Amino acid sequence: MCTPYRPTDTSSFQTGDSSLPALEQPSQRPPSPRFAAPDRSFRRHLWTSFTAALRSFCTAGLILLVSLKNLMSKMSTNENANTPSARLNRFKNKGKDATEMRRRRIEVNVELRKAKKDDQMLKRRNVSTFPDDATSPLQENRSNQVSAHWSVEEIVKGVNNNNTEIQLQATQAARKLLSREQQPPIDSIIRAGLIPKLVSFLGRADCIPIQFESAWALTNIASGTSEQTKAVVDGGAIPAFISLLASPHTHISEQAVWALGNIAGDGSTYRDLVIKFGAIEPLLSLLAVPDLSSLASGYLRNVTWTLSNLCRNKNPAPPIEAIEQILPTLVRLLHHDDHEVLADTCWALSYLTDGSNDRIEVVVKTGLVPQLVKLLGCSELPIMTPSLRAIGNIVTGTDEQTQIVIDSGALSVFPSLLSHHKNNIQKEAAWTMSNITAGRQDQIQRVIDHGLVPYLIGILRKGDFKSQKEAVWAVANYTSGGTIEQIVYLVQAGVVEPLLNLLSAKDSKIVLVILDAISNIFLAAEKINETEKLCLMIEECGGLDKIEALQSHENEQVYKASSTLIEKYFSAEEEEDQNVVPESTAASYTFQVQGNTPDTFNF
């Protein structure tokens, strides 16, 4: 039963009393005839002041009484919230099967888990540093300034001219405006109604330069906002760009790849539309060469990036058939030596593993996990970040999927990840560990054997708060599913003090998780009759004061959980366990425990 909440100052009443103490009577009575009466005006003034003070005191007392009554009533109506079954459901692992024990990336996104963009770009603009550089196949004469300063109105007139040369100059002028580093006039171009004309130019196989210039212009429009991308899609650009993928001119097919990547990167709706129009097969055919190194690096990077955008976004996730179609190429790209190609491939895999177990299985069964783990140990942050995300997503799956990650040697990389100078890497690594410690006891043992527990405790001590929260989850999962020997090791490694220090955090959920972990440790201590030793340890590191302070916490679950711990382990003497007979020795009492107890809390 939970210890009732008590305000900080309990001197004026005791919980359970039927009423507040009787109010103190006035210290002065009307004088006896035997004594001279004091001055009446003074007496009236004194009595008036006293009665005013008395009314204030009564009012304050009634307010306190009503508040206490409401609080006790609230605790009574929520009494069932502290039942064992209810407490089990408040935490990640208790009373849940293996699937429920895993926290998926969708949960992480609420917090990380984050409205922030990934390190990978959603969309890219093709910005020309020099107005007439070699990016354009026209190789324009720099002395020709005909198209250098066209207004939008002039561009409209030019593209509608029947002269192909003027159309080309106008299209090139539009491309240059849209390629400006600062404030390209995308909306002005859209409002001028130029998109349908630019899309029609994509089909001009008789004029390669105008195909390229219009593709470039549309690519940059599609790199803008969702509304701007919508204008390109509504103009019929997707099938036109897919047709250009087969162009014999590399610079045109590459520009089409880029444009489709921008459209797919806008979100799941346009991603699926690109897939529906049949973009995957011609995209993959661009990489159907014996040696990927034979392709220009920029070309290969663009194709890889577009493929990654076709894997991106959820709600809904990409069609499973599309994933199965793309995966063999991703496996091949994962062995390439170009860092940008590797980074985008790892991002693609992180998107594909961010889902249900069956989607994770589609990725895992390709056999790519060992190579992904190899890249996890890469010193290049742009590669390490997405590979860690992908590995972290895989271990949210089944125990068997987690075991594949472990068997691939991932845990040997985690000492460097858990102590990385980048807080985000530490956080993601700790999150990954939290899902491994949510697994089987033999998997928890592998975490111990690789010496990772001290690193988690190190994060609890001095990591940034986001990393600390993930480390708290890792410890809580460990205490929930670990054996008594494993929990004893955790305590001996020094987890208790830094764990208790985080009870002062403002995050109520994390405080609850910490209290649950402490409760799990106590359950293990009870089984080996070391409860008193654990209580002493908690008191000596100031943990008892922190737990007691939580009894006045604003969160109801927090003060109930803290009160339960206090009442169960730190209140009056508990009844002596009949299975434990204290044997007096010269130094202290040694507990004789039934059976073969695995270990004790030897601090």
Side-chain angles (χ1 to χ4, degrees):
M1 182 137 183
C2 181
T3 304
Y5 166 81
R6 293 181 175 84
T8 304
D9 182 10
T10 58
S11 59
S12 62
F13 62 94
Q14 294 295 325
T15 303
D17 289 353
S18 59
S19 63
L20 290 172
L23 295 176
E24 192 174 0
Q25 295 299 313
S27 59
Q28 292 183 338
R29 295 174 181 271
S32 166
R34 293 176 297 179
F35 304 102
D39 178 74
R40 286 183 178 275
S41 62
F42 170 77
R43 189 173 68 210
R44 277 197 303 271
H45 174 72
L46 182 64
W47 182 255
T48 301
S49 300
F50 178 79
T51 54
L54 180 62
R55 282 195 299 271
S56 298
F57 181 80
C58 290
T59 302
L62 287 172
I63 291 173
L64 278 173
L65 183 60
V66 170
S67 299
L68 178 63
K69 182 178 179 181
N70 289 340
L71 180 59
M72 296 300 291
S73 173
K74 179 181 178 183
M75 292 178 65
S76 176
T77 57
N78 288 280
E79 184 176 2
N80 291 334
N82 203 43
T83 60
S85 60
R87 271 186 62 78
L88 292 180
N89 292 327
R90 284 208 297 266
F91 297 100
K92 181 165 84 173
N93 296 331
K94 295 305 197 64
K96 298 182 179 182
D97 60 27
T99 301
E100 292 172 319
M101 284 169 67
R102 308 291 188 167
R103 287 181 302 157
R104 300 211 166 277
R105 171 61 52 180
I106 189 170
E107 286 186 35
V108 181
N109 280 338
V110 173
E111 174 265 325
L112 291 163
R113 292 165 191 138
K114 77 195 184 191
K116 294 180 182 177
K117 289 184 179 179
D118 289 321
D119 291 347
Q120 191 201 31
M121 293 291 290
L122 285 163
K123 299 180 180 181
R124 294 170 174 170
R125 290 178 64 230
N126 189 352
V127 179
S128 173
T129 304
F130 301 103
D132 303 302
D133 62 12
T135 307
S136 169
L138 299 178
Q139 300 294 304
E140 302 143 319
N141 186 335
R142 293 183 186 276
S143 63
N144 180 9
Q145 299 297 318
V146 175
S147 62
H149 302 290
W150 289 40
S151 67
V152 174
E153 292 76 14
E154 290 171 331
I155 292 172
V156 171
K157 289 180 182 178
V159 298
N160 287 300
N161 194 291
N162 291 328
N163 185 294
T164 299
E165 184 62 29
I166 295 176
Q167 287 178 336
L168 174 57
Q169 290 177 2
T171 304
Q172 186 184 88
R175 181 267 294 174
K176 289 182 178 181
L177 285 176
L178 293 166
S179 299
R180 285 196 325 214
E181 291 270 6
Q182 300 295 326
Q183 298 178 331
I186 297 178
D187 288 329
S188 297
I189 295 291
I190 293 173
R191 284 194 298 268
L194 284 169
I195 287 181
K197 200 69 178 178
L198 293 175
V199 171
S200 72
F201 288 164
L202 295 178
R204 292 286 301 274
D206 61 313
C207 183
I208 302 307
I210 204 168
Q211 271 189 322
F212 177 77
E213 293 289 350
S214 59
W216 188 346
L218 288 167
T219 297
N220 284 359
I221 295 174
S223 72
T225 66
S226 291
E227 281 301 311
Q228 291 164 348
T229 305
K230 181 178 184 297
V232 174
V233 173
D234 291 346
I238 293 178
F241 276 125
I242 292 175
S243 296
L244 287 182
L245 292 175
S247 171
H249 305 283
T250 304
H251 63 282
I252 289 180
S253 66
E254 181 178 4
Q255 198 63 56
V257 167
W258 195 332
L260 291 169
N262 278 343
I263 293 170
D266 187 76
S268 56
T269 300
Y270 289 159
R271 175 206 66 204
D272 288 347
L273 199 56
V274 170
I275 293 173
K276 182 180 178 181
F277 274 110
I280 292 180
E281 186 173 343
L283 275 170
L284 296 178
S285 68
L286 298 177
L287 303 182
V289 293
D291 183 7
L292 290 174
S293 299
S294 64
L295 299 173
S297 59
Y299 190 89
L300 181 60
R301 290 169 183 173
N302 267 332
V303 176
T304 305
W305 172 74
T306 294
L307 288 175
S308 75
N309 271 358
L310 290 176
C311 299
R312 193 175 191 140
N313 291 307
K314 297 166 57 174
N315 303 317
I320 198 75
E321 299 80 9
I323 292 173
E324 292 174 334
Q325 194 176 359
I326 293 173
L327 266 171
T329 298
L330 293 180
V331 172
R332 193 174 175 214
L333 290 168
L334 204 61
H335 289 81
H336 201 270
D337 57 3
D338 184 273
H339 285 187
E340 287 189 33
V341 169
L342 289 172
D344 282 332
T345 303
C346 289
W347 278 118
L349 294 172
S350 76
Y351 305 143
L352 296 182
T353 52
D354 182 10
S356 59
N357 293 352
D358 59 334
R359 285 183 174 268
I360 294 174
E361 185 61 27
V362 170
V363 175
V364 169
K365 72 181 181 182
T366 64
L368 58 71
V369 173
Q371 180 64 14
L372 200 56
V373 169
K374 181 179 177 182
L375 295 174
L376 186 63
C378 173
S379 60
E380 296 289 333
L381 198 61
I383 298 174
M384 180 193 301
T385 300
S387 60
L388 175 56
R389 178 74 61 85
I391 290 293
N393 286 339
I394 292 172
V395 299
T396 66
T398 64
D399 288 339
E400 291 72 27
Q401 290 163 346
T402 299
Q403 192 61 43
I404 290 173
V405 170
I406 295 174
D407 291 343
S408 298
L411 293 181
S412 62
V413 186
F414 273 80
S416 61
L417 298 175
L418 290 168
S419 56
H420 200 274
H421 66 281
K422 288 285 187 181
N423 289 337
N424 189 58
I425 295 294
Q426 274 195 26
K427 176 190 66 179
E428 293 274 325
W431 169 70
T432 302
M433 294 305 303
S434 75
N435 280 314
I436 295 176
T437 58
R440 303 188 305 252
Q441 291 175 346
D442 64 295
Q443 292 171 340
I444 294 176
Q445 190 60 44
R446 295 288 291 274
V447 171
I448 295 172
D449 294 343
H450 279 81
L452 298 179
V453 169
Y455 288 95
L456 288 171
I457 294 174
I459 292 176
L460 289 178
R461 289 187 185 278
K462 55 185 179 181
D464 79 301
F465 184 58
K466 289 183 178 181
S467 300
Q468 287 177 322
K469 288 199 295 185
E470 299 304 328
V472 165
W473 275 111
V475 169
N477 289 344
Y478 181 118
T479 62
S480 178
T483 65
I484 293 178
E485 295 98 325
Q486 290 168 343
I487 295 175
V488 167
Y489 168 77
L490 183 68
V491 174
Q492 292 175 343
V495 77
V496 173
E497 183 176 0
L499 195 61
L500 290 169
N501 286 341
L502 288 171
L503 286 176
S504 57
K506 302 299 182 184
D507 189 326
S508 297
K509 182 177 181 180
I510 286 301
V511 171
L512 281 169
V513 176
I514 294 170
L515 292 173
D516 191 53
I518 295 299
S519 178
N520 292 337
I521 294 172
F522 265 115
L523 291 175
E526 285 181 312
K527 292 177 182 177
I528 56 175
N529 303 301
E530 294 283 3
T531 304
E532 289 188 18
K533 190 178 289 187
L534 180 59
C535 286
L536 181 61
M537 183 184 193
I538 290 174
E539 287 186 58
E540 288 179 345
C541 70
L544 179 57
D545 292 337
K546 293 181 175 66
I547 297 173
E548 286 178 335
L550 294 176
Q551 292 182 106
S552 58
H553 199 278
E554 61 184 6
N555 183 287
E556 181 181 354
Q557 292 182 344
V558 169
Y559 74 69
K560 279 182 174 289
S562 58
S563 296
T564 299
L565 277 174
I566 295 294
E567 181 175 316
K568 188 172 182 180
Y569 299 110
F570 297 97
S571 59
E573 292 288 330
E574 297 181 327
E575 292 184 14
E576 185 175 87
D577 190 334
Q578 296 302 314
N579 294 328
V580 182
V581 181
E583 177 186 288
S584 179
T585 65
S588 61
Y589 283 99
T590 301
F591 287 97
Q592 306 298 319
V593 186
Q594 288 185 336
N596 296 321
T597 302
D599 211 334
T600 58
F601 290 134
N602 295 319
F603 309 120

